[in-house]
Amino acid sequence: MSEFYNLYGGAMIDSVTQQQPPITNVGVGAATGVPQPQQPPVAVNGTVQQINAKKNNKPSGNNKTSGNKTAKNKNKNNANNANNANNENNANNENNANNENNANNLSNEVKERIANIKLNPNKTVISFWIIWLISVILLLSTFITTPIRYSETKVMHKVTYNRFYYYLHVVLLALLCFYAYKIGDKMPLVKSEDLYQKVAPIAVFVLGFMILNIYDSPSIKEDGSFSSAPSVLIKNKIGMIVHYVFMILSIITIIGIYLYYSSDSLLGYQTAYLISAIPAILVFVICLFLLYLTARYRVKKYNLPNTWRK
């Protein structure tokens, strides 16, 4: 209200006075009216950042210490790695040396075994094993060359000659090899090495079984078409009979040689020796039966192709 009443007086003076800027420099200069020099503005934030940057750029003792520790750790790791590498090399060298020693020992043992292998000088024993091997070969060859093994004719209920001949020759081969295996101790072909004496009949059986399976063939019958006989067959009956006769004679020979060698004479044999020869005796009897079938062989009887006639 006082400003309203004193419109041209004090009120105006107060407003003008309030609009003037405040006097910042108060002191002797201000009282005397001498103008003071203006100081340039100070960039507070920038100065602080520069100071901090300088402090950060200064190498500190802690960084030096940590760098020394890192270098020492690296040196220790390198030393440990070198030690580990040396240990591994030493271990590998030891393993290689051990392997070489084992190989040398094995080779020496093999050489000693081979050096210890000596054939029995007894001519009777050598003759037995040669004739036994011949009998095995003749047994396999009779199976391969006989045409009866291709027949579909029934030899018994639901069993054809084709399957009968295959299984029968497997049994005969097993009996011959078992016979040699049993009497190997009494008539050793290799002295001082029982292992080879036992392995030989087993190896012959495995090889013979493989041959039987290789030459085993499906049955063939006469159906009016042209069918040529396999090249391995013997179509001549006389040739087949001679084949079986030689096999029977070889089996008789290995039985007689064993009985003679065991008892020093054919008349002085014992029952135990005869029992040991039972596998070969069974082979002899069965071969007689096969010889009988071969003697009665005819293409028409076994229903084989007519082109297989001699």
Side-chain angles (χ1 to χ4, degrees):
M1 293 297 293
S2 63
E3 291 177 357
F4 182 77
Y5 292 118
N6 296 323
L7 182 62
Y8 296 101
M12 290 297 292
I13 294 172
D14 294 335
S15 61
V16 173
T17 304
Q18 292 177 357
Q19 292 178 0
Q20 291 180 355
I23 297 172
T24 57
N25 295 323
V26 180
V28 178
T32 59
V34 180
Q36 298 291 330
Q38 296 181 356
Q39 296 179 354
V42 178
V44 179
N45 294 330
T47 303
V48 173
Q49 292 177 357
Q50 291 177 0
I51 293 170
N52 292 331
K54 290 181 179 180
K55 290 182 178 180
N56 292 328
N57 291 328
K58 288 182 180 179
S60 61
N62 294 330
N63 291 333
K64 292 182 179 179
T65 304
S66 61
N68 293 329
K69 290 182 178 179
T70 303
K72 290 180 179 179
N73 291 330
K74 288 182 179 179
N75 293 329
K76 289 182 179 179
N77 291 330
N78 293 330
N80 291 330
N81 292 330
N83 292 328
N84 292 330
N86 292 328
N87 292 331
E88 290 179 359
N89 291 329
N90 293 330
N92 292 329
N93 293 330
E94 290 179 358
N95 291 329
N96 293 329
N98 292 330
N99 292 331
E100 291 179 358
N101 291 329
N102 292 331
N104 292 329
N105 293 332
L106 181 61
S107 63
N108 292 331
E109 184 178 355
V110 171
K111 290 178 181 179
E112 290 178 359
R113 283 183 172 272
I114 294 174
N116 291 329
I117 296 175
K118 295 180 181 180
L119 293 177
N120 195 333
N122 193 316
K123 294 181 180 180
T124 304
V125 175
I126 295 174
S127 299
F128 170 84
W129 287 103
I130 292 174
I131 298 174
W132 172 79
L133 185 60
I134 292 173
S135 65
V136 172
I137 294 173
L138 289 174
L139 176 66
L140 296 175
S141 62
T142 53
F143 173 79
I144 294 171
T145 58
T146 181
I148 300 176
R149 69 185 178 91
Y150 288 91
S151 177
E152 282 189 352
T153 303
K154 302 289 178 51
V155 64
M156 60 184 67
H157 183 64
K158 294 182 179 181
V159 179
T160 63
Y161 279 100
N162 178 262
R163 292 295 87 199
F164 175 72
Y165 263 64
Y166 170 74
Y167 292 118
L168 186 61
H169 280 78
V170 172
V171 172
L172 292 175
L173 177 64
L175 288 173
L176 280 177
C177 293
F178 180 72
Y179 174 61
Y181 183 87
K182 289 291 291 183
I183 67 174
D185 295 335
K186 298 177 182 179
M187 302 182 68
L189 180 63
V190 180
K191 300 180 70 175
S192 303
E193 286 293 339
D194 295 337
L195 177 63
Y196 301 133
Q197 189 70 40
K198 297 294 184 181
V199 169
I202 297 174
V204 171
F205 173 76
V206 173
L207 182 61
F209 182 74
M210 292 174 61
I211 293 173
L212 291 176
N213 282 277
I214 290 172
Y215 284 95
D216 184 28
S217 303
S219 58
I220 298 175
K221 65 180 180 179
E222 171 61 32
D223 56 359
S225 61
F226 179 81
S227 176
S228 60
S231 60
V232 295
L233 293 186
I234 298 177
K235 294 185 288 183
N236 187 357
K237 183 189 293 187
I238 296 176
M240 290 188 289
I241 291 174
V242 171
H243 204 159
Y244 274 103
V245 168
F246 275 110
M247 185 178 68
I248 291 172
L249 290 176
S250 65
I251 294 171
I252 292 174
T253 303
I254 60 176
I255 295 174
I257 290 175
Y258 168 66
L259 294 177
Y260 173 79
Y261 182 83
S262 300
S263 55
D264 296 331
S265 66
L266 291 176
L267 299 177
Y269 69 88
Q270 298 179 5
T271 305
Y273 301 146
L274 189 62
I275 293 174
S276 299
I278 285 178
I281 295 172
L282 290 175
V283 175
F284 167 74
V285 173
I286 296 173
C287 286
L288 288 177
F289 174 69
L290 293 176
L291 177 62
Y292 169 76
L293 294 178
T294 303
R296 298 178 67 246
Y297 167 74
R298 293 194 310 274
V299 171
K300 186 176 182 180
K301 175 179 175 59
Y302 294 100
N303 196 24
L304 294 172
N306 293 325
T307 54
W308 289 18
R309 296 178 184 274
K310 175 63 179 172

